[in-house]
């Protein structure tokens, strides 16, 4: 049985915990609401965390899993920076790997000064609702073909779907709160808003993550939800997805059918200029080019004449020449940084997912954050199959910041559990000693 966490074991809301709570909330609430809203609060926390840690020198109580997560981030940094230096790339090429280094002091700061959980979930609700409202405004007021918020429609749709999925993981946390019904209703409505924003963005590649999210949510909730409730929720969700698919106004059926037709045409040798056709052409050319320099890749020189030279169709060659990526994180890493760079990227997915999964399998009060962490990693890895997610500032920033935030919440929950056991044991010991004295 899970231990009960009393209010006595909640971390005191010190000024630094308050600062951590505010910055985490701002990062999530503003993610889709304003231009570059995903970046301001993480940058502020990154700049302040190192000097604060240096001055305060808090006792962090790091465990093996913390060090493994830090080592994974450092490994990606070292590999990416070293290969960029080997290819004599400009300083701008170090921007992406440098974020992995800047994330480490943020992780340590959040472990030392855990933010309040309600700030995360409340801000997630606000941010996801803002994304949904923005999407509906752009579609029905501005009359856009695809909603994109303040970023690329694909990034916008993927992030909206991710935030909606994370809202669903929070229902387990909401059940234990004072205003449980209000919390879970707000989280459910926000999750719906995230799904709507994803649909009207037309980001089909992101929809591949939906089955994975649902499986992880099922594994997370089957522990304590009645089977009938879980079955009813799955049935309602299935019906909702079917309705969305067959409702012409959503455009879901049209985009899925078009993707299937484009793939069949490409397989039959027909070259087309659709997004599916261009991706398949890029992946084919990129794979053939990558195997020519498999160890350390081509660097940024892979793009341009080298990549387009692998393409036979003249019209496709002109269109693809405007891209500086191949719409796939794994192939982009293989192409630019070789097998070593690809291995570093896969570790950035595999290690955090494994750490969250191990915590989940052990069970405990941090289950909600373990499931949220698995959904975060699995979703972004899936997004990266059809989109160069890490080539966008929004992609790498959201992944790294949400990753360390969820890990910090999980570790804080574990420490509160230990504190509850210790205090309970001390209380039992004191009561036994007092009883002994009375008998004497």
């Amino acid at each position: 049985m899970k231990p009960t966490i009393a209010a006595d074991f909640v971390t005191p809301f010190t000024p630094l915990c308050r600062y951590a709570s505010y910055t985490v909330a701002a990062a999530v609430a503003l993610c889709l609401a304003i231009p570059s809203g995903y970046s301001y609060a993480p940058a502020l926390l990154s700049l302040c965390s190192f000097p604060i840690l240096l001055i305060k020198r808090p006792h962090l109580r790091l465990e093996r899993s913390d060090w493994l997560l830090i080592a994974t981030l450092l490994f990606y940094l070292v590999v990416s920076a070293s290969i960029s230096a080997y290819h004599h790339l400009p300083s701008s090429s170090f921007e992406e790997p440098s974020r992995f280094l800047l994330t480490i002091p943020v992780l340590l700061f959040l472990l030392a000064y855990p933010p309040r959980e309600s700030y995360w979930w409340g801000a997630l609700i606000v941010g996801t609702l803002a994304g949904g409202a923005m999407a509906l405004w752009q579609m029905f007021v501005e009359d856009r073909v695809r909603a994109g918020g303040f970023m690329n429609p694909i990034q916008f749709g993927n992030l909206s779907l991710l935030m909606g999925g994370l809202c669903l993981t929070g229902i387990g946390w909401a059940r234990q709160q004072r205003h449980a019904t209000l919390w879970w209703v707000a989280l459910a409505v926000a999750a719906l808003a995230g799904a709507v924003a994803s649909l009207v963005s037309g980001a089909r590649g992101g929809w591949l993550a939906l089955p994975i999210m649902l499986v992880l949510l099922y594994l997370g909730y089957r522990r304590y939800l009645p089977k009938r409730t879980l079955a009813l929720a799955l049935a309602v969700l299935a019906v909702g997805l079917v309705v969305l698919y067959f409702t012409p106004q959503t455009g879901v059926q049209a985009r899925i059918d078009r993707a299937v037709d484009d793939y069949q045409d490409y397989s039959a040798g027909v070259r087309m200029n659709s997004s599916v056709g261009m991706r398949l052409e890029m992946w084919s050319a990129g794979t053939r080019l990558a195997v020519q320099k498999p160890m350390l890749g081509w660097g940024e020189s892979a793009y341009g004449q080298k990549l387009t030279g692998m393409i036979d169709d003249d019209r496709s060659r002109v269109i693809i020449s405007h891209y500086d990526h191949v719409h796939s994180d794994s192939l982009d890493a293989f192409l630019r940084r070789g097998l070593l760079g690809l291995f570093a990227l896969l570790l950035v997915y595999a290690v955090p997912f494994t750490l969250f999964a191990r915590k989940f399998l052990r069970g405990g009060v941090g289950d909600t954050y373990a499931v949220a962490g698995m959904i975060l990693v699995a979703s972004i890895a899936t997004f990266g199959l059809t989109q160069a997610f890490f080539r966008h500032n929004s992609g790498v920033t959201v992944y790294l910041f949400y990753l360390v935030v969820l890990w910090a919440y999980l570790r804080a929950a574990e420490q509160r559990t230990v504190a509850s056991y210790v205090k309970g044991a001390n209380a039992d010991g004191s009561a036994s000693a007092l009883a002994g004295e009375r008998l004497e």
Side-chain angles (χ1 to χ4, degrees):
M1 187 177 71
K2 296 180 182 178
T4 301
I5 306 302
D8 294 342
F9 309 121
V10 177
T11 305
F13 205 34
T14 64
L16 289 178
C17 288
R18 198 181 299 270
Y19 172 70
S21 302
Y22 292 158
T23 51
V24 166
V28 182
L30 299 178
C31 181
L32 303 175
I34 63 174
S36 301
Y38 55 83
S39 63
Y40 300 124
L44 181 62
L45 189 57
S46 178
L47 290 173
C48 297
S49 57
F50 182 72
I52 292 175
L53 291 171
L54 199 61
I55 295 170
K56 291 289 187 178
R57 297 183 182 276
H59 181 55
L60 294 171
R61 299 188 298 274
L62 299 180
E63 63 175 29
R64 183 181 177 184
S65 56
D66 300 321
W67 288 111
L68 189 56
L69 182 58
I70 292 171
T72 302
L73 298 176
L74 285 175
F75 182 75
Y76 186 91
L77 164 71
V78 172
V79 168
S80 300
S82 299
I83 295 177
S84 295
Y86 170 78
H87 289 298
H88 304 288
L89 298 181
S91 58
S92 59
S93 65
F94 295 89
E95 180 180 355
E96 177 211 324
S98 68
R99 295 175 188 268
F100 287 76
L101 176 63
L102 296 174
T103 300
I104 295 174
V106 174
L107 170 61
L108 298 177
F109 180 86
L110 294 176
L111 289 174
Y113 308 103
R116 284 288 172 88
E117 295 172 281
S118 58
Y119 281 71
W120 161 263
W121 296 113
L124 189 62
I125 291 170
V126 172
T128 311
L129 288 175
M134 175 69 68
L136 293 176
W137 176 271
Q138 291 182 339
M139 290 294 294
F140 297 107
V141 178
E142 297 182 3
D143 199 26
R144 295 192 187 185
V145 177
R146 298 174 63 184
F150 296 103
M151 57 184 74
N152 181 297
I154 298 176
Q155 290 295 109
F156 176 77
N158 289 344
L159 291 178
S160 297
L161 182 62
L162 171 63
M163 293 173 69
L166 293 177
C167 284
L168 291 178
T169 66
I171 294 176
W173 169 84
R175 292 173 65 249
Q176 304 172 7
Q177 305 310 304
R178 181 176 300 175
H179 304 289
T181 302
L182 181 61
W183 273 110
W184 77 256
V185 168
L187 287 164
V189 172
L192 178 62
V196 169
S198 173
L199 290 173
V200 298
S201 73
R204 294 172 296 192
W207 301 342
L208 297 175
L210 187 57
I212 299 174
M213 287 184 181
L214 296 179
V215 170
L216 292 173
L217 285 168
Y218 172 79
L219 293 175
Y221 282 122
R222 71 173 181 172
R223 286 182 173 178
Y224 52 87
L225 280 184
K227 291 183 178 180
R228 289 184 178 180
T229 303
L230 199 56
L232 178 62
L234 291 175
V236 171
L237 182 61
V239 171
L241 292 176
V242 171
V243 170
L244 288 172
Y245 178 79
F246 285 105
T247 302
Q249 287 79 6
T250 65
V252 174
Q253 183 179 17
R255 289 191 62 78
I256 292 177
D257 292 347
R258 183 179 176 185
V260 173
D261 292 340
D262 289 347
Y263 176 76
Q264 292 174 345
D265 289 342
Y266 185 87
S267 300
V270 179
R271 296 296 182 263
M272 77 296 292
N273 299 314
S274 67
S275 61
V276 174
M278 289 299 99
R279 278 174 170 79
L280 294 172
E281 198 74 75
M282 285 181 183
W283 296 341
S284 175
T287 302
R288 285 182 281 128
L289 183 61
V291 296
Q292 296 180 12
K293 284 190 175 183
M295 292 309 300
L296 297 178
W298 291 88
E300 295 297 334
S301 66
Y303 297 103
Q305 293 183 354
K306 286 188 175 64
L307 180 63
T308 55
M310 308 292 292
I311 299 172
D312 297 328
D313 183 67
D314 292 336
R315 192 172 182 182
S316 298
R317 189 185 302 118
V318 172
I319 296 174
I320 292 175
S321 66
H322 297 292
Y323 289 95
D324 61 352
H325 57 77
V326 287
H327 281 280
S328 170
D329 275 333
S330 55
L331 181 56
D332 180 71
F334 184 27
L335 191 57
R336 292 190 298 127
R337 296 167 181 161
L339 289 173
L340 188 57
L342 176 59
F343 178 67
L345 175 66
L346 295 179
L347 278 184
V348 167
Y349 295 143
V351 172
F353 185 89
T354 302
L355 293 177
F356 282 117
R358 289 179 62 186
K359 298 288 188 183
F360 172 73
L361 292 175
R362 291 177 184 176
V365 293
D367 278 3
T368 293
Y369 300 105
V371 174
M374 289 190 290
I375 285 180
L376 170 71
V377 178
S379 297
I380 288 186
T382 305
F383 297 158
L385 294 176
T386 57
Q387 166 73 345
F389 202 76
F390 276 12
R391 294 280 273 183
H392 296 266
N393 289 334
S394 58
V396 67
T397 300
V398 166
Y399 178 69
L400 292 175
F401 189 74
Y402 286 23
L403 176 67
V404 298
V405 168
L406 291 172
W407 184 255
Y409 277 127
L410 176 57
R411 293 284 288 112
E414 290 180 336
Q415 291 174 9
R416 290 197 303 272
T417 305
V418 172
S420 69
Y421 281 133
V422 171
K423 186 165 183 177
N426 291 339
D428 292 341
S430 299
S432 299
L434 182 59
E437 291 176 0
R438 288 177 177 175
L439 288 175
E440 294 176 359

